[in-house]
């Protein structure tokens, strides 16, 4: 996460896991809160696609404008995330 923070020039970088009910950080730099309900997780949107998710202005995005992580601490303004998986392409997990 420190390398990602350095390369991207961001104040925060995290590696998060998302399950049915929550998001939690396995590694984090620049952010002390390490868990959140899935309903408040921006990462929960990221895992729905294999393409990177980039939100340039979370306050202007209707999906996140009222999100407590945007309107309150940690006051997320910009978000970029991508899915990390060890499941081979085409493998059916259902």
């Amino acid at each position: 996460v420190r390398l990602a923070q350095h390369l991207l020039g961001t104040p925060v970088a995290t590696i998060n896991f998302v399950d049915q009910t929550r998001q939690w950080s396995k590694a984090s730099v620049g952010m002390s809160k390490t868990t959140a309900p899935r309903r408040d997780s921006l990462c929960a949107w990221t895992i729905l696609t294999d393409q990177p998710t980039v939100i340039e202005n979370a306050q202007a995005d209707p999906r996140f404008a009222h999100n407590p992580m945007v309107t309150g601490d940690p006051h997320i303004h910009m978000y970029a995330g991508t899915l990390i998986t060890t499941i081979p392409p085409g493998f059916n997990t259902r």
Side-chain angles (χ1 to χ4, degrees):
V1 292
R2 288 186 181 154
L3 179 59
Q5 179 191 36
H6 175 74
L7 292 174
L8 298 171
T10 61
V12 175
T14 63
I15 294 177
N16 292 328
F17 291 146
V18 179
D19 68 13
Q20 293 84 358
T21 61
R22 67 185 173 129
Q23 160 194 295
W24 71 99
S25 297
K26 271 314 252 185
S28 181
V29 173
M31 187 173 184
S32 59
K33 188 174 183 179
T34 60
T35 62
R38 183 176 175 139
R39 69 179 178 275
D40 298 338
S41 170
L42 280 68
C43 296
W45 289 84
T46 299
I47 64 170
L48 299 177
T49 178
D50 59 357
Q51 298 298 311
T53 300
V54 178
I55 303 160
E56 293 185 26
N57 184 344
Q59 293 174 330
D61 189 307
R63 297 171 295 176
F64 308 112
H66 300 289
N67 184 300
M69 294 177 73
V70 173
T71 61
D73 192 40
H75 300 281
I76 295 171
H77 176 74
M78 184 270 179
Y79 170 88
T82 191
L83 176 67
I84 299 173
T85 182
T86 58
I87 299 171
F91 183 80
N92 187 350
T93 58
R94 296 180 194 239

